[in-house]
């Protein structure tokens, strides 16, 4: 997932970084690190074999927040995939 998404400050949405198109056969996301800028709240996160799912709430209208995910695979040596999105907050 790469791109720019919008949300209202009062909305609480789930987003995901889908690495399925990058993984090779029998490879899975074993661990991950999410980096979220100050000012928006990430209150839940989890992963499947192919994706990292996280929930965001809050934010200040007019601000854009950068979120980055580094997914680390179960392969040896482990592969590190990095993806990012921007969330722009606006009043609906």
């Amino acid at each position: 997932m790469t791109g720019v998404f919008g949300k209202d400050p009062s909305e609480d949405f789930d987003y995901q970084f889908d690495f399925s198109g990058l993984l090779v056969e029998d490879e899975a996301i074993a661990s991950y690190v999410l980096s979220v800028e100050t000012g928006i709240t990430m209150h839940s996160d989890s992963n499947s074999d192919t994706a990292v799912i996280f929930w965001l709430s809050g934010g200040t209208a007019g601000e854009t927040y950068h979120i980055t995910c580094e997914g680390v695979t179960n392969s040896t040596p482990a592969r590190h995939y990095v993806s990012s999105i921007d969330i722009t907050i606006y009043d609906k």
Side-chain angles (χ1 to χ4, degrees), residues 1-16:
M1 168 192 274
T2 301
V4 178
F5 299 87
K7 71 177 263 337
D8 185 275
S10 65
E11 293 174 325
D12 189 0
F13 280 150
D14 62 314
Y15 300 88
Q16 77 171 349

Side-chain angles (χ1 to χ4, degrees), residues 19-30 48-50 71-81:
F19 296 102
S20 61
L22 301 172
L23 300 172
V24 298
E25 187 175 341
D26 296 325
E27 188 176 50
I29 299 298
S48 67
D49 285 347
T50 60
V72 181
T73 67
N74 62 348
S75 60
T76 303
R79 290 185 176 87
H80 294 246
Y81 297 111

Side-chain angles (χ1 to χ4, degrees), residues 24-69:
V24 298
E25 187 175 341
D26 296 325
E27 188 176 50
I29 299 298
S31 65
Y32 61 92
V33 175
L34 284 164
S35 300
V36 179
E37 286 188 320
T38 301
I40 194 166
T41 302
M42 181 182 67
H43 59 85
S44 180
D45 61 280
S46 62
N47 72 297
S48 67
D49 285 347
T50 60
V52 175
I53 301 96
F54 58 102
W55 286 79
L56 295 175
S57 62
T60 302
E63 296 292 324
T64 298
Y65 300 93
H66 190 72
I67 294 92
T68 301
C69 180

